Amino acid sequence: MKSAGLHLLFFVVAGTLAAQPAEPAPPAKTSARLTQEIRSALPKYVAPPENKTGTTGSAPRDPGLLVLPTVTVQEKRIPMDDPDTWLGERVIQQKAMAAYKASMTDFEWFLNSWHIPFLTPSASARARAAYKESKIQAELIRLNGLIETVKHGDTKAGDQLRKDYKDMQDAQDWQGSPAGSGRQK
C-alpha cells in the first residue's frame, strides 16, 4: 500500500510539472557581423516625401484606389570578371586539382602526387598555386590583347599602356623576389 502511494505521489508531481506553461524559447539571435553583411547588401531606405494635399500629381485621389509610393532600387553588381566569384573554397580546390591532374600523364601524376610532410608542399597546394598562376597568366594575356587593340586606334595611348603594363610586371616580379637578392632595376 505504501509503494502505491509513493508511485501516486510521483505521478502527481510529474503531472503538475508537465502542466506548468513552458517558457518560450528565446528568439534566434543573429551575430552583429552577419547583420551588418545582410544590411550592406540591401538597398538603403529613403522615406517618400509626404503628400499633404492627398493627390498624386494633378489627378484627384480616388478613395477606392491605393496609391503606392514610387521606389527606386539601385543594385550593387558583383564584378563578374572572375568566373570563380560564386564558387566556394572547396569547389575551387576541386577545380584546381582536376586541372592539375589533367595537365599530367598518369605516370607524372603518380610521381607528383606524393610529398614529404614539412619538406615539400602537398599536391593540393601545388594544384592551387598552379591554378592561381594560370589565372594570372590568362589575365595578362587579356591585358596584352587589350593594349594591342588600343594601340591600333591611338599609338601614343597604346605606348603609355605598354609602359604601365611593364611597370606592373616589374612590381609583381619585385614582390615575388626575396629581400636582398641584389636585383637592380
Side-chain angles (χ1 to χ4, degrees):
M1 183 84 165
K2 285 187 177 183
S3 66
L6 186 60
H7 288 294
L8 184 60
L9 178 66
F10 286 139
F11 284 122
V12 171
V13 170
T16 55
L17 289 177
Q20 291 178 355
E23 291 182 25
K29 293 192 176 193
T30 308
S31 69
R33 183 188 66 79
L34 184 57
T35 303
Q36 181 63 27
E37 296 241 355
I38 291 171
R39 288 185 186 197
S40 68
L42 295 175
K44 301 292 182 206
Y45 173 75
V46 178
E50 291 186 26
N51 193 357
K52 294 182 181 179
T53 62
T55 61
T56 53
S58 62
R61 188 170 187 174
D62 183 12
L65 181 66
L66 176 65
V67 179
L68 297 175
T70 304
V71 177
T72 304
V73 177
Q74 296 178 352
E75 64 177 320
K76 292 186 254 177
R77 294 188 181 258
I78 295 176
M80 298 306 288
D81 295 340
D82 186 13
D84 296 338
T85 301
W86 296 102
L87 299 179
E89 289 296 318
R90 186 174 53 96
V91 177
I92 292 173
Q93 183 63 38
Q94 290 172 348
K95 187 176 176 182
M97 282 297 288
Y100 187 62
K101 189 173 181 179
S103 69
M104 298 182 206
T105 64
D106 289 337
F107 184 66
E108 289 173 330
W109 173 248
F110 174 75
L111 293 176
N112 286 308
S113 63
W114 297 93
H115 77 283
I116 301 169
F118 303 113
L119 294 178
T120 60
S122 64
S124 61
R126 285 179 290 183
R128 187 63 173 252
Y131 183 71
K132 286 181 181 178
E133 183 65 29
S134 70
K135 286 181 72 170
I136 289 171
Q137 289 300 321
E139 183 65 18
L140 290 176
I141 290 169
R142 187 186 73 81
L143 282 174
N144 213 2
L146 182 65
I147 290 170
E148 290 301 318
T149 303
V150 169
K151 197 171 187 176
H152 287 297
D154 186 4
T155 309
K156 190 173 184 181
D159 290 338
Q160 180 62 37
L161 283 174
R162 176 66 60 200
K163 181 185 174 298
D164 292 341
Y165 177 77
K166 177 149 179 23
D167 291 345
M168 181 187 69
Q169 280 185 322
D170 290 343
Q172 188 176 10
D173 289 343
W174 276 93
Q175 288 176 355
S177 66
S181 64
R183 290 178 54 176
Q184 298 291 325
K185 186 170 181 178

